[in-house]
Amino acid sequence: MWSELSKIAMPVVFNEPLSFLQRISEYMEHTNLIHKACSLSDSIDRMQVVAAFAVSAVASQWERTGKPFNPLLGETYELTREDEGYRLISEQVSHHPPISAFHAQSLKQEFEFHGSIYPKLKFWGKSVEAEPKGIMTLELLKHKEVYTWTNPMCCVHNIILGKLWIEQYGTVEIVNHRTGDKCVLNFKPCGMFGKELHKVEGHIQDKSKKKRRVIYGKWTECMYSMDPKVYEAYKKSDKKTGGDSKKLKPVSEYSLFSEESDEMPEVQETVTVIPGSALLWRILPRPADSAQMYNFTSFAMTLNELEPGMERLLAPTDCRLRPDIRAMENGDMDSSSTEKERLEEKQRASRRERSVDEEEWSTSWFQLGTNPHTGAEDWLYTGGYFDRNYTDCPSIY
């Protein structure tokens, strides 16, 4: 039993004061990992750092139970970080189905990172499952390498009753299209006793399918890499030890439609570091007031800032200029709700007009094409955004 939720207008009380386009830009929080990968000479070493980046890109979802605002058709978001050496542009290229496209590029022509995301939402009684359809493409230009992958599933539990909590699960397969190397990461579901909550385990194999590295950790904490033989030897010696699962309360999949909430299992131990492991990535600590600020990371807290002079540079479609999000950030929930309804009605009226005139919506910065590396349909950046000519931008606010 499930239904599409992407078309339902939710009250702003369920939201966080960011657009989904801004949430996408949080993939870039650990850009230092891309720079690290660019600097390495060995392709397996590069792959394990790219794998850490793929995990880090979804780490900001931890405890982020507020729903980002649905982007309006034609909405954009730009982020330039000279300190991190990149700039990003994203655009809402379709409303039904909702599709968000983004393109990030190194300021020194070292990498490009891009993709288009069509989040399919399903309602399962007490939880909402988001399937982030769409391919991530990372190009390391100096090495002439292209990596592609899709993100894991995300599930928010207890949307009706109890404390909201998040888990991510599914298999993420990262392919290096030049070398044939592959990394398979298993984001584990929490399981009956919660022992697997947040765990990620996987391996890197070369084109002859020989295992070259084992990767393990938690997407909420850190990721490690090690030699497969050492890992297997450790696992064999460790087989007889482990916690007493009888003390743990089960999270029953059969209780989906019961009146009780699914309690989030207590997070077991932090990641047990196996001797001989190398740290690939560790999550940055959240600011002290994060719990009062929608569980934002330090990075997320900066995304809606409108610095003096910025407004005249931004495209008029940038979500920093969206009045409903700005009102919510300022604590004015009534204005936020009123503005959200006004913007949604304006969008509907615009769609009706186009229907009468038999006009197709025209995107500004991306066009539908084929991802040259996967052959799949993808929205590709056409360039020109940072030339700062926005005279043809639609009036959406």
Side-chain angles (χ1 to χ4, degrees):
M1 172 188 172
W2 59 272
S3 63
E4 282 285 357
L5 290 180
S6 53
K7 297 173 185 150
I8 298 172
M10 304 285 276
V12 294
V13 69
F14 292 110
N15 286 58
E16 63 176 26
L18 290 177
S19 166
F20 184 66
L21 295 183
Q22 291 164 309
R23 179 71 87 91
I24 287 172
S25 72
E26 293 184 56
Y27 292 159
M28 303 302 292
E29 180 169 357
H30 297 275
T31 307
N32 61 300
L33 292 169
I34 304 181
H35 292 306
K36 171 82 171 167
C38 290
S39 74
L40 296 167
S41 57
D42 180 77
S43 69
I44 298 294
D45 288 344
R46 287 195 294 276
M47 173 61 93
Q48 64 181 13
V49 176
V50 170
F53 173 73
V55 175
S56 79
V58 297
S60 70
Q61 309 246 38
W62 182 39
E63 296 190 329
R64 291 281 288 284
T65 51
K67 176 184 175 293
F69 281 72
N70 290 336
L72 300 164
L73 185 60
E75 185 174 308
T76 60
Y77 182 69
E78 72 163 271
L79 183 63
T80 299
R81 288 288 300 265
E82 291 183 4
D83 57 330
E84 293 282 347
Y86 71 86
R87 63 188 187 186
L88 170 144
I89 172 65
S90 56
E91 179 182 2
Q92 190 70 5
V93 293
S94 172
H95 188 60
H96 290 314
I99 302 174
S100 310
F102 75 93
H103 186 97
Q105 56 194 176
S106 160
L107 298 177
K108 294 181 179 174
Q109 285 73 54
E110 292 178 329
F111 70 84
E112 294 192 1
F113 176 49
H114 51 94
S116 46
I117 298 164
Y118 165 25
K120 285 203 79 157
L121 301 181
K122 295 178 183 179
F123 177 55
W124 300 92
K126 296 182 299 183
S127 62
V128 172
E129 185 179 68
E131 181 185 357
K133 285 178 166 287
I135 301 160
M136 306 290 106
T137 303
L138 175 63
E139 304 181 35
L140 303 185
L141 303 176
K142 185 179 84 172
H143 298 288
K144 297 184 171 60
E145 283 181 341
V146 176
Y147 300 80
T148 59
W149 67 91
T150 55
N151 285 328
M153 304 279 267
C154 180
C155 186
V156 182
H157 292 270
N158 293 341
I159 56 168
I160 310 289
L161 181 74
K163 184 179 181 338
L164 293 166
W165 60 281
I166 288 176
E167 66 172 326
Q168 300 198 80
Y169 46 79
T171 301
V172 172
E173 196 170 276
I174 306 167
V175 177
N176 181 332
H177 291 265
R178 186 177 71 83
T179 64
D181 299 336
K182 187 186 285 186
C183 178
V184 181
L185 294 174
N186 181 16
F187 284 70
K188 300 198 167 191
C190 81
M192 284 293 284
F193 297 99
K195 285 184 78 174
E196 304 293 304
L197 186 64
H198 304 153
K199 282 189 180 177
V200 183
E201 287 181 4
H203 67 271
I204 296 170
Q205 61 188 46
D206 59 25
K207 65 180 177 187
S208 64
K209 298 192 175 176
K210 182 186 177 188
K211 271 193 191 181
R212 300 290 299 276
R213 297 277 197 287
V214 166
I215 292 181
Y216 68 94
K218 289 186 178 182
W219 62 265
T220 52
E221 286 183 40
C222 53
M223 294 301 295
Y224 286 90
S225 159
M226 69 182 305
D227 180 271
K229 288 178 183 157
V230 178
Y231 179 80
E232 290 305 324
Y234 174 85
K235 281 292 181 190
K236 278 178 188 169
S237 68
D238 195 50
K239 225 170 190 179
K240 292 173 185 175
T241 64
D244 182 2
S245 63
K246 289 175 185 172
K247 293 177 185 173
L248 300 171
K249 184 183 173 185
V251 179
S252 173
E253 57 191 287
Y254 304 109
S255 70
L256 279 173
F257 299 100
S258 75
E259 291 180 9
E260 291 180 14
S261 63
D262 285 334
E263 290 305 314
M264 176 178 170
E266 283 180 35
V267 176
Q268 301 308 304
E269 75 296 331
T270 54
V271 175
T272 304
V273 183
I274 302 168
S277 301
L279 179 69
L280 298 176
W281 161 79
R282 187 182 297 286
I283 201 166
L284 297 170
R286 294 202 176 170
D289 55 353
S290 175
Q292 288 79 51
M293 302 282 287
Y294 305 93
N295 288 318
F296 280 3
T297 62
S298 298
F299 185 86
M301 286 184 184
T302 67
L303 295 177
N304 212 39
E305 283 179 3
L306 199 54
E307 292 165 16
M310 190 188 273
E311 196 165 339
R312 59 187 173 80
L313 287 175
L314 292 171
T317 48
D318 194 283
C319 39
R320 291 178 186 86
L321 308 175
R322 222 180 121 158
D324 51 351
I325 296 179
R326 184 62 60 191
M328 185 179 187
E329 185 175 292
N330 294 335
D332 189 345
M333 302 300 275
D334 289 343
S335 288
S336 178
S337 186
T338 304
E339 282 295 322
K340 182 170 176 282
E341 286 173 24
R342 180 186 68 79
L343 292 171
E344 287 167 351
E345 181 46 45
K346 181 175 181 177
Q347 181 169 246
R348 284 190 287 270
S350 176
R351 188 165 65 245
R352 285 194 296 270
E353 271 180 41
R354 288 197 305 277
S355 179
V356 168
D357 298 340
E358 296 185 346
E359 275 181 32
E360 288 288 319
W361 174 262
S362 179
T363 53
S364 298
W365 312 110
F366 292 80
Q367 68 180 22
L368 188 58
T370 303
N371 185 307
H373 313 293
T374 63
E377 193 176 82
D378 205 354
W379 286 85
L380 306 172
Y381 178 53
T382 53
Y385 176 87
F386 293 98
D387 296 342
R388 302 289 176 199
N389 180 4
Y390 305 131
T391 50
D392 293 333
C393 281
S395 170
I396 59 174
Y397 301 147

